[in-house]
């Protein structure tokens, strides 16, 4: 993945700036000389810096760190696995469907945003590229944010999904394999020089996570704080509500900010919590923010799951932070 035309354009502008600086230095008019020298030098410096940052971005996209050999896993695809995976699949349409629901035909992430190139959430039905992936490669993509080719994925929330247990991630694979194939396949990711600038500058980090080399076992299912913590971890609550769930302000790239759950939940009953995530309306009759995926959580979670999440969240130590 490399934008030869874009990088060449930046280098050409840097060269042009250097030539203009030389011309300005030779000018006899002092005002023209120094104005031209400053402007041309700024052009050269900016384009040279942008070229360097873009090359760093392309390097990160094309030369990921070495990773261990993929474990040879074959998911059985039992009816129980498919049914369990379908619950987790309630989250996939948030990114992998233009309608917010199945089929998971993918969608154009670059539409309406900055012109960063071709960037699609993949078609996750058997008509997409995963038909040629092994089960182990799909698991690695989900939990480690790494493509079959070894390059890092982009936007995939693997910092959340890396907490999925082996049982649950295999259930997701079983569900994805069980879907009907729906054409067309999505185009491959191909970022241009602007996209590489975002990656190189760290404004849009890749999804790559450290390799998972040990088995991951979820706590025993039930209404417990331990299982509730597991669910909160894999459902992405911390993406919006902050790492310590004490709230995160909106602004900048990434998910929307969410309020401080450590101060809000102690005031709610378990019935309040369940009703809020089933209806999208809190105990004070306020509609939840548009970015809150309560419908997806409600589709995934049974009442016992919500009770476990409440048990964990209700027991958190209050931390000062945004409550709206």
């Amino acid at each position: 993945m490399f934008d030869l035309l874009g990088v060449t354009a930046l280098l050409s502008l840097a060269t042009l700036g250097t030539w203009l600086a030389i011309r300005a230095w030779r000018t006899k008019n002092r005002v023209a000389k120094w104005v031209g020298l400053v402007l041309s030098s700024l052009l050269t410096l900016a384009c040279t810096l942008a070229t360097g940052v873009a090359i760093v971005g392309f390097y990160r996209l094309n030369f990921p760190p070495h990773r261990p050999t993929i474990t040879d896993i074959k998911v059985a695809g039992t009816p129980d696995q498919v049914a369990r995976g379908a619950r987790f699949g309630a989250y996939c349409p948030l990114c992998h469907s233009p309608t917010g629901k199945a089929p998971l035909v993918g969608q154009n992430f670059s539409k309406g945003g900055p012109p960063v190139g071709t960037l699609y959430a993949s078609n996750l039905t058997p008509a997409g590229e995963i038909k040629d992936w092994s089960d182990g490669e799909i698991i690695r993509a989900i939990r480690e944010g790494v493509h079959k080719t070894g390059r890092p994925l982009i936007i995939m929330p693997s910092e959340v999904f890396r907490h999925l247990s082996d049982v649950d991630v295999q259930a997701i694979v079983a569900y994805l394999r069980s879907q009907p194939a729906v054409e067309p396949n999505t185009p491959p990711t191909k970022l241009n020089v602007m996209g590489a600038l975002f990656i190189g500058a760290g404004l849009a980090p890749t999804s790559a996570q450290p390799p998972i080399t040990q088995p991951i076992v979820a706590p025993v299912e039930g209404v417990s704080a331990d299982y509730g913590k597991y669910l909160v971890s894999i459902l992405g609550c911390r993406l919006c509500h902050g790492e310590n769930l004490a709230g995160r302000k909106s602004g900048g790239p990434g998910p929307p900010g969410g309020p401080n759950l450590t101060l809000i939940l102690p005031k709610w009953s378990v019935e309040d919590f369940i009703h809020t995530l089933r209806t999208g309306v809190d105990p004070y009759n306020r509609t939840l923010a548009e970015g809150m995926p309560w419908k997806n959580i409600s589709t995934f979670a049974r009442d016992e799951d919500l009770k476990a999440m409440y048990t964990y969240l209700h027991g958190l130590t209050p931390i000062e932070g945004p409550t709206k």
Side-chain angles (χ1 to χ4, degrees), residues 240-277:
C240 297
H241 294 281
E243 188 59 33
N244 57 8
L245 301 172
R248 190 177 70 82
K249 294 183 178 179
S250 296
N260 187 336
L261 298 183
T262 72
L263 296 181
I264 293 174
L265 266 297
K267 301 175 183 178
W268 292 10
S269 68
V270 64
E271 291 78 17
D272 291 335
F273 183 71
I274 293 174
H275 180 267
T276 299
L277 290 179

Side-chain angles (χ1 to χ4, degrees), residues 56-76:
V56 170
F58 283 122
Y59 180 85
R60 290 175 178 172
L61 289 169
N62 291 289
F63 299 99
H66 172 73
R67 290 186 173 266
T69 303
I70 297 173
T71 305
D72 185 18
I73 300 172
K74 181 61 180 176
V75 176

Side-chain angles (χ1 to χ4, degrees), residues 174-195:
Y175 163 68
L176 295 178
R177 298 286 200 204
S178 73
Q179 300 173 96
V182 181
E183 299 282 356
N185 191 8
T186 44
T189 295
K190 188 175 182 181
L191 296 188
N192 58 25
V193 70
M194 181 175 287

